[in-house]
Amino acid sequence: RKYDTDKAASLLKKYTKIRNKHRDLFEGGISVESLRQATLPECGAITVLPDRDLRGRRVIVESMVKIDTMMKIEESWKLMFMLLDVLMEEEEAQVNGFVLIQDYLGVSMTQWKMQDSQFSFELEIGFGNTHPARFEEYHLINQSWFFASHKSVLKPFIPAELRQRVHLHAHGPDTDSLHKFIPKSILPEGFAGGNGPPFDWGSFADFLHKVLDAWLKIKAWKLGIADHG
């Protein structure tokens, strides 16, 4: 972790502990059907933007209204961890980290209650120094006043170092607050006021299948190490 061997060792211990605790999510792998759904425009539960931001960071987007309707929450976690396992092989990701955008547009009260654990769990994994993937920013967009006020109540209880990385953006057409962090040019047309090219679902499908192939190779390598350990 930034060339600090003590911090790196501590991180690996925490990471091993949480992987063992949630082994089914980290190592179970996403189902074939869920992977197929993830490549469809009508799903779009989790996507990775094709371009990095100005700091060279990968930007991952979650559509919260699609999670648990088009894709089960557990499957979305599996997809997220599969993506992180593979993307962390990129040198840029190791150096620059990631950005996560959670879009709450269209989320009902019932869905929100079910997904509140998603916020807490991803906060623990991505921002709690328990995963090698370093999330530098966490943006929650298109929240209703109720969701925003609830997250605002929770925010003071988040450790100060992490609190600075969590950004709440109000519901409505004004997306300027997000654009202070993420340029319009890399956001697809029609999403959060972006003026970049429309999202290419065909390319994303190819990308996800390459990710799956790479993840299976990583998993096989880890199993080989364990067998000879």
mmCIF file of all heavy atoms in Angstrom, residues 8-30:
data_model
loop_
_atom_site.group_PDB
_atom_site.id
_atom_site.type_symbol
_atom_site.label_atom_id
_atom_site.label_comp_id
_atom_site.label_asym_id
_atom_site.label_seq_id
_atom_site.Cartn_x
_atom_site.Cartn_y
_atom_site.Cartn_z
ATOM 1 N N ALA A 8 0.768 -2.901 3.917
ATOM 2 C CA ALA A 8 0.434 -3.932 2.939
ATOM 3 C C ALA A 8 0.188 -5.268 3.631
ATOM 4 O O ALA A 8 -0.770 -5.987 3.301
ATOM 5 C CB ALA A 8 1.558 -4.062 1.909
ATOM 6 N N ALA A 9 1.031 -5.595 4.606
ATOM 7 C CA ALA A 9 0.870 -6.854 5.342
ATOM 8 C C ALA A 9 -0.430 -6.861 6.140
ATOM 9 O O ALA A 9 -1.155 -7.861 6.176
ATOM 10 C CB ALA A 9 2.058 -7.067 6.271
ATOM 11 N N SER A 10 -0.737 -5.723 6.779
ATOM 12 C CA SER A 10 -1.976 -5.602 7.548
ATOM 13 C C SER A 10 -3.192 -5.740 6.642
ATOM 14 O O SER A 10 -4.185 -6.406 6.985
ATOM 15 C CB SER A 10 -2.016 -4.257 8.269
ATOM 16 O OG SER A 10 -3.242 -4.060 8.933
ATOM 17 N N LEU A 11 -3.115 -5.120 5.460
ATOM 18 C CA LEU A 11 -4.213 -5.198 4.489
ATOM 19 C C LEU A 11 -4.446 -6.637 4.049
ATOM 20 O O LEU A 11 -5.586 -7.104 3.982
ATOM 21 C CB LEU A 11 -3.896 -4.325 3.279
ATOM 22 C CG LEU A 11 -4.836 -4.463 2.069
ATOM 23 C CD1 LEU A 11 -6.238 -3.997 2.428
ATOM 24 C CD2 LEU A 11 -4.304 -3.688 0.882
ATOM 25 N N LEU A 12 -3.373 -7.359 3.770
ATOM 26 C CA LEU A 12 -3.502 -8.742 3.306
ATOM 27 C C LEU A 12 -4.140 -9.623 4.378
ATOM 28 O O LEU A 12 -4.932 -10.519 4.063
ATOM 29 C CB LEU A 12 -2.132 -9.292 2.906
ATOM 30 C CG LEU A 12 -1.575 -8.754 1.584
ATOM 31 C CD1 LEU A 12 -0.161 -9.261 1.359
ATOM 32 C CD2 LEU A 12 -2.479 -9.140 0.411
ATOM 33 N N LYS A 13 -3.812 -9.359 5.632
ATOM 34 C CA LYS A 13 -4.423 -10.123 6.731
ATOM 35 C C LYS A 13 -5.929 -9.867 6.776
ATOM 36 O O LYS A 13 -6.731 -10.797 6.912
ATOM 37 C CB LYS A 13 -3.782 -9.740 8.059
ATOM 38 C CG LYS A 13 -2.368 -10.267 8.244
ATOM 39 C CD LYS A 13 -1.794 -9.843 9.585
ATOM 40 C CE LYS A 13 -0.367 -10.347 9.760
ATOM 41 N NZ LYS A 13 0.219 -9.889 11.049
ATOM 42 N N LYS A 14 -6.325 -8.586 6.673
ATOM 43 C CA LYS A 14 -7.747 -8.238 6.691
ATOM 44 C C LYS A 14 -8.468 -8.811 5.483
ATOM 45 O O LYS A 14 -9.595 -9.295 5.580
ATOM 46 C CB LYS A 14 -7.915 -6.710 6.723
ATOM 47 C CG LYS A 14 -7.439 -6.044 7.996
ATOM 48 C CD LYS A 14 -7.583 -4.533 7.887
ATOM 49 C CE LYS A 14 -7.072 -3.819 9.119
ATOM 50 N NZ LYS A 14 -7.156 -2.349 8.980
ATOM 51 N N TYR A 15 -7.781 -8.749 4.339
ATOM 52 C CA TYR A 15 -8.376 -9.238 3.095
ATOM 53 C C TYR A 15 -8.605 -10.744 3.165
ATOM 54 O O TYR A 15 -9.663 -11.248 2.778
ATOM 55 C CB TYR A 15 -7.448 -8.895 1.930
ATOM 56 C CG TYR A 15 -7.950 -9.320 0.574
ATOM 57 C CD1 TYR A 15 -9.243 -9.020 0.159
ATOM 58 C CD2 TYR A 15 -7.109 -10.002 -0.316
ATOM 59 C CE1 TYR A 15 -9.701 -9.390 -1.090
ATOM 60 C CE2 TYR A 15 -7.554 -10.378 -1.566
ATOM 61 C CZ TYR A 15 -8.842 -10.072 -1.951
ATOM 62 O OH TYR A 15 -9.296 -10.441 -3.194
ATOM 63 N N THR A 16 -7.624 -11.470 3.679
ATOM 64 C CA THR A 16 -7.757 -12.915 3.828
ATOM 65 C C THR A 16 -8.899 -13.255 4.769
ATOM 66 O O THR A 16 -9.695 -14.171 4.507
ATOM 67 C CB THR A 16 -6.444 -13.521 4.364
ATOM 68 O OG1 THR A 16 -5.381 -13.232 3.459
ATOM 69 C CG2 THR A 16 -6.576 -15.033 4.531
ATOM 70 N N LYS A 17 -9.008 -12.488 5.845
ATOM 71 C CA LYS A 17 -10.066 -12.732 6.834
ATOM 72 C C LYS A 17 -11.441 -12.530 6.218
ATOM 73 O O LYS A 17 -12.356 -13.357 6.401
ATOM 74 C CB LYS A 17 -9.881 -11.806 8.039
ATOM 75 C CG LYS A 17 -10.904 -12.015 9.139
ATOM 76 C CD LYS A 17 -10.628 -11.090 10.323
ATOM 77 C CE LYS A 17 -11.668 -11.293 11.427
ATOM 78 N NZ LYS A 17 -11.402 -10.393 12.588
ATOM 79 N N ILE A 18 -11.620 -11.451 5.461
ATOM 80 C CA ILE A 18 -12.944 -11.158 4.914
ATOM 81 C C ILE A 18 -13.267 -12.083 3.737
ATOM 82 O O ILE A 18 -14.418 -12.437 3.503
ATOM 83 C CB ILE A 18 -13.071 -9.670 4.517
ATOM 84 C CG1 ILE A 18 -14.548 -9.255 4.532
ATOM 85 C CG2 ILE A 18 -12.460 -9.377 3.154
ATOM 86 C CD1 ILE A 18 -14.776 -7.794 4.666
ATOM 87 N N ARG A 19 -12.239 -12.535 3.003
ATOM 88 C CA ARG A 19 -12.470 -13.524 1.941
ATOM 89 C C ARG A 19 -12.928 -14.851 2.527
ATOM 90 O O ARG A 19 -13.810 -15.514 1.988
ATOM 91 C CB ARG A 19 -11.199 -13.742 1.119
ATOM 92 C CG ARG A 19 -10.956 -12.722 0.041
ATOM 93 C CD ARG A 19 -9.858 -13.177 -0.889
ATOM 94 N NE ARG A 19 -10.375 -14.126 -1.847
ATOM 95 C CZ ARG A 19 -10.584 -13.844 -3.142
ATOM 96 N NH1 ARG A 19 -10.327 -12.633 -3.607
ATOM 97 N NH2 ARG A 19 -11.052 -14.775 -3.953
ATOM 98 N N ASN A 20 -12.327 -15.235 3.632
ATOM 99 C CA ASN A 20 -12.729 -16.481 4.290
ATOM 100 C C ASN A 20 -14.142 -16.370 4.860
ATOM 101 O O ASN A 20 -14.917 -17.325 4.825
ATOM 102 C CB ASN A 20 -11.743 -16.838 5.401
ATOM 103 C CG ASN A 20 -10.406 -17.298 4.853
ATOM 104 O OD1 ASN A 20 -10.318 -17.799 3.730
ATOM 105 N ND2 ASN A 20 -9.345 -17.116 5.633
ATOM 106 N N LYS A 21 -14.472 -15.186 5.368
ATOM 107 C CA LYS A 21 -15.793 -14.958 5.945
ATOM 108 C C LYS A 21 -16.879 -14.982 4.876
ATOM 109 O O LYS A 21 -17.991 -15.478 5.112
ATOM 110 C CB LYS A 21 -15.807 -13.607 6.675
ATOM 111 C CG LYS A 21 -17.128 -13.275 7.350
ATOM 112 C CD LYS A 21 -17.034 -11.921 8.047
ATOM 113 C CE LYS A 21 -18.365 -11.531 8.694
ATOM 114 N NZ LYS A 21 -18.282 -10.187 9.337
ATOM 115 N N HIS A 22 -16.570 -14.455 3.682
ATOM 116 C CA HIS A 22 -17.543 -14.380 2.581
ATOM 117 C C HIS A 22 -17.024 -15.173 1.380
ATOM 118 O O HIS A 22 -17.057 -14.695 0.241
ATOM 119 C CB HIS A 22 -17.791 -12.925 2.188
ATOM 120 C CG HIS A 22 -18.283 -12.056 3.304
ATOM 121 N ND1 HIS A 22 -19.563 -12.115 3.780
ATOM 122 C CD2 HIS A 22 -17.649 -11.112 4.050
ATOM 123 C CE1 HIS A 22 -19.720 -11.233 4.759
ATOM 124 N NE2 HIS A 22 -18.571 -10.629 4.946
ATOM 125 N N ARG A 23 -16.581 -16.391 1.629
ATOM 126 C CA ARG A 23 -15.954 -17.200 0.579
ATOM 127 C C ARG A 23 -16.877 -17.410 -0.626
ATOM 128 O O ARG A 23 -16.430 -17.421 -1.772
ATOM 129 C CB ARG A 23 -15.541 -18.553 1.164
ATOM 130 C CG ARG A 23 -14.691 -19.405 0.218
ATOM 131 C CD ARG A 23 -14.264 -20.685 0.907
ATOM 132 N NE ARG A 23 -13.385 -20.429 2.020
ATOM 133 C CZ ARG A 23 -12.059 -20.290 1.922
ATOM 134 N NH1 ARG A 23 -11.484 -20.365 0.738
ATOM 135 N NH2 ARG A 23 -11.322 -20.062 2.984
ATOM 136 N N ASP A 24 -18.171 -17.581 -0.381
ATOM 137 C CA ASP A 24 -19.102 -17.822 -1.485
ATOM 138 C C ASP A 24 -19.183 -16.629 -2.427
ATOM 139 O O ASP A 24 -19.364 -16.786 -3.635
ATOM 140 C CB ASP A 24 -20.493 -18.169 -0.953
ATOM 141 C CG ASP A 24 -21.072 -17.077 -0.067
ATOM 142 O OD1 ASP A 24 -20.289 -16.449 0.681
ATOM 143 O OD2 ASP A 24 -22.293 -16.862 -0.105
ATOM 144 N N LEU A 25 -19.039 -15.411 -1.886
ATOM 145 C CA LEU A 25 -19.120 -14.214 -2.721
ATOM 146 C C LEU A 25 -17.833 -13.975 -3.489
ATOM 147 O O LEU A 25 -17.840 -13.552 -4.643
ATOM 148 C CB LEU A 25 -19.437 -12.986 -1.857
ATOM 149 C CG LEU A 25 -20.769 -13.006 -1.110
ATOM 150 C CD1 LEU A 25 -20.931 -11.728 -0.297
ATOM 151 C CD2 LEU A 25 -21.943 -13.152 -2.075
ATOM 152 N N PHE A 26 -16.699 -14.227 -2.848
ATOM 153 C CA PHE A 26 -15.412 -13.962 -3.479
ATOM 154 C C PHE A 26 -14.983 -15.058 -4.446
ATOM 155 O O PHE A 26 -14.355 -14.786 -5.466
ATOM 156 C CB PHE A 26 -14.324 -13.794 -2.415
ATOM 157 C CG PHE A 26 -14.316 -12.444 -1.760
ATOM 158 C CD1 PHE A 26 -15.021 -12.224 -0.586
ATOM 159 C CD2 PHE A 26 -13.604 -11.386 -2.306
ATOM 160 C CE1 PHE A 26 -15.015 -10.984 0.028
ATOM 161 C CE2 PHE A 26 -13.592 -10.146 -1.704
ATOM 162 C CZ PHE A 26 -14.302 -9.933 -0.542
ATOM 163 N N GLU A 27 -15.305 -16.306 -4.112
ATOM 164 C CA GLU A 27 -14.761 -17.416 -4.876
ATOM 165 C C GLU A 27 -15.824 -18.260 -5.578
ATOM 166 O O GLU A 27 -15.499 -19.134 -6.377
ATOM 167 C CB GLU A 27 -13.922 -18.309 -3.955
ATOM 168 C CG GLU A 27 -12.749 -17.553 -3.330
ATOM 169 C CD GLU A 27 -11.923 -18.424 -2.398
ATOM 170 O OE1 GLU A 27 -12.135 -19.647 -2.388
ATOM 171 O OE2 GLU A 27 -11.074 -17.875 -1.675
ATOM 172 N N GLY A 28 -17.099 -18.014 -5.272
ATOM 173 C CA GLY A 28 -18.157 -18.819 -5.877
ATOM 174 C C GLY A 28 -18.338 -18.551 -7.353
ATOM 175 O O GLY A 28 -18.698 -19.429 -8.128
ATOM 176 N N GLY A 29 -18.080 -17.307 -7.753
ATOM 177 C CA GLY A 29 -18.242 -16.958 -9.158
ATOM 178 C C GLY A 29 -19.687 -16.648 -9.510
ATOM 179 O O GLY A 29 -20.619 -17.236 -8.978
ATOM 180 N N ILE A 30 -19.865 -15.715 -10.413
ATOM 181 C CA ILE A 30 -21.196 -15.316 -10.854
ATOM 182 C C ILE A 30 -21.776 -16.406 -11.756
ATOM 183 O O ILE A 30 -21.038 -17.102 -12.466
ATOM 184 C CB ILE A 30 -21.119 -13.959 -11.598
ATOM 185 C CG1 ILE A 30 -22.514 -13.430 -11.922
ATOM 186 C CG2 ILE A 30 -20.266 -14.068 -12.844
ATOM 187 C CD1 ILE A 30 -22.499 -12.012 -12.483
#
